[in-house]
Amino acid sequence: MPALPSSVIEPLWDQFAALIPDHVDTHPLGCHNPRIDDRVVFDKLVQSLVLGAAYERIADSACSATTIRRRRDAWIHAGLFQRLEQICLEAYDRIVGLDLADITVDGCIVKAPCGGHAAGRSPVDRGKQGTKRSVMTDGAGIPIGCMVAPANRNDSPFLRPTLEQLGRFEIRFGVGLPEQITVHLDAGYDSAITRELLEELGCTPVISAKGFPLQAGARWVVERTNSWHNRGFKKLAICTERRTHVITAFIALANAAIIVRRLLRQAWTTHRWDKRPDKRP
């Protein structure tokens, strides 16, 4: 059984394959083993992301764990995962449209048993190693930004670098941001520092008040996105990678899969295309 449905993984691979640069053989004699096909390595990385398995567990006679790591690092160095995520966002914005007038930000702490650059003492897991993701979504829950840090980082200081990623959209899509942006936050951000920051950035805050029962409002979409990350991609729920740029690459790949899945669901009733699923995803 594939790690992702073919309706999701095939368009992802088509776009990713178009981004892979041509391989240059630098062996002086040209007598090394045949190069493993890129599609095989890509499928292995998707399996590791979805199943959370170690590379040695998914390696076989067709592709070794060393090949998976080397090809992964080469693709990360070329920025392919971030470019794939950008292509998916552009397609969603062109067909459905991103709701950038309502932005939601929330932090999510996950286990990081192997430690690493983005690991710290988790305040919700008896001081064990953990990683925090600060996720930013549009009004429909589409992930549009994510920052990674140790679990012992507070939410409020982590908010500025997360919101500053909004500036990339003017470069990405060639259009300006909405004049009025509303930022929805939970009670963990209820402080004067947060309000001053949002006023500085020209955003309208909608923050749940401390000491009162849970006020979901329009903030539930980011909780759903965090659930998509943790329940759909075990590599993100239990982060076994030690280097931040590798974690960021896997998050970008997971975001690309989420965006394609949402795009299929939204466009299923409005568009027709070859290999369109018989049932709405």
Side-chain angles (χ1 to χ4, degrees):
M1 179 181 293
L4 290 174
S6 59
S7 60
V8 174
I9 197 171
E10 290 301 330
L12 281 178
W13 166 247
D14 289 342
Q15 293 295 334
F16 193 82
L19 298 174
I20 299 176
D22 295 334
H23 174 66
V24 179
D25 190 354
T26 58
H27 195 281
L29 300 178
C31 58
H32 50 67
N33 293 330
R35 179 179 171 83
I36 304 299
D37 187 69
D38 289 329
R39 176 61 191 269
V40 175
V41 181
F42 181 79
D43 287 342
K44 294 293 185 183
L45 287 175
V46 172
Q47 290 177 22
S48 178
L49 172 63
V50 175
L51 305 177
Y55 300 123
E56 287 76 9
R57 296 285 186 177
I58 59 176
D60 51 26
S61 58
C63 183
S64 67
T66 301
T67 300
I68 298 173
R69 293 190 184 94
R70 287 177 178 173
R71 202 75 58 87
R72 176 206 65 189
D73 292 341
W75 290 344
I76 291 175
H77 180 71
L80 301 190
F81 295 101
Q82 281 70 25
R83 291 168 64 186
L84 176 65
E85 180 188 14
Q86 176 178 337
I87 290 173
C88 294
L89 278 171
E90 290 174 351
Y92 186 93
D93 187 52
R94 183 168 60 252
I95 297 174
V96 179
L98 290 168
D99 181 11
L100 299 179
D102 287 285
I103 301 297
T104 309
V105 180
D106 194 19
C108 176
I109 297 177
V110 298
K111 295 179 179 293
C114 298
H117 300 159
R121 290 176 57 86
S122 174
V124 297
D125 194 17
R126 296 170 293 173
K128 296 180 180 180
Q129 293 291 297
T131 295
K132 173 175 285 188
R133 296 192 307 266
S134 179
V135 180
M136 178 171 57
T137 69
D138 77 335
I142 300 299
I144 57 176
C146 184
M147 297 292 296
V148 179
N152 52 4
R153 286 282 301 274
N154 292 329
D155 286 340
S156 293
F158 208 22
L159 181 61
R160 178 184 288 275
T162 304
L163 289 176
E164 286 178 348
Q165 295 187 51
L166 279 174
R168 296 183 303 171
F169 279 87
E170 297 183 78
I171 301 175
R172 281 185 174 185
F173 303 108
V175 296
L177 296 172
E179 295 183 1
Q180 186 64 39
I181 297 178
T182 302
V183 180
H184 302 266
L185 303 168
D186 65 10
Y189 299 89
D190 187 13
S191 66
I193 297 177
T194 300
R195 290 184 170 82
E196 291 175 0
L197 170 62
L198 295 177
E199 183 179 357
E200 174 188 341
L201 298 177
C203 300
T204 301
V206 176
I207 307 175
S208 300
K210 293 181 179 179
F212 291 89
L214 179 64
Q215 307 130 56
R219 192 178 51 80
W220 66 272
V221 293
V222 72
E223 302 288 357
R224 182 184 61 177
T225 303
N226 284 330
S227 178
W228 287 341
H229 279 151
N230 294 333
R231 298 183 61 120
F233 307 98
K234 297 300 181 183
K235 176 71 78 172
L236 303 186
I238 303 178
C239 182
T240 55
E241 299 292 345
R242 294 177 54 84
R243 293 179 291 175
T244 303
H245 66 273
V246 177
I247 300 172
T248 304
F250 274 116
I251 292 174
L253 182 57
N255 287 344
I258 289 173
I259 295 166
V260 169
R261 187 172 57 194
R262 295 302 300 173
L263 178 57
L264 289 172
R265 181 172 176 82
Q266 294 292 109
W268 192 85
T269 56
T270 59
H271 293 74
R272 297 292 184 270
W273 64 92
D274 295 338
K275 299 181 181 180
R276 175 175 175 266
D278 294 333
K279 296 183 179 180
R280 186 176 183 182

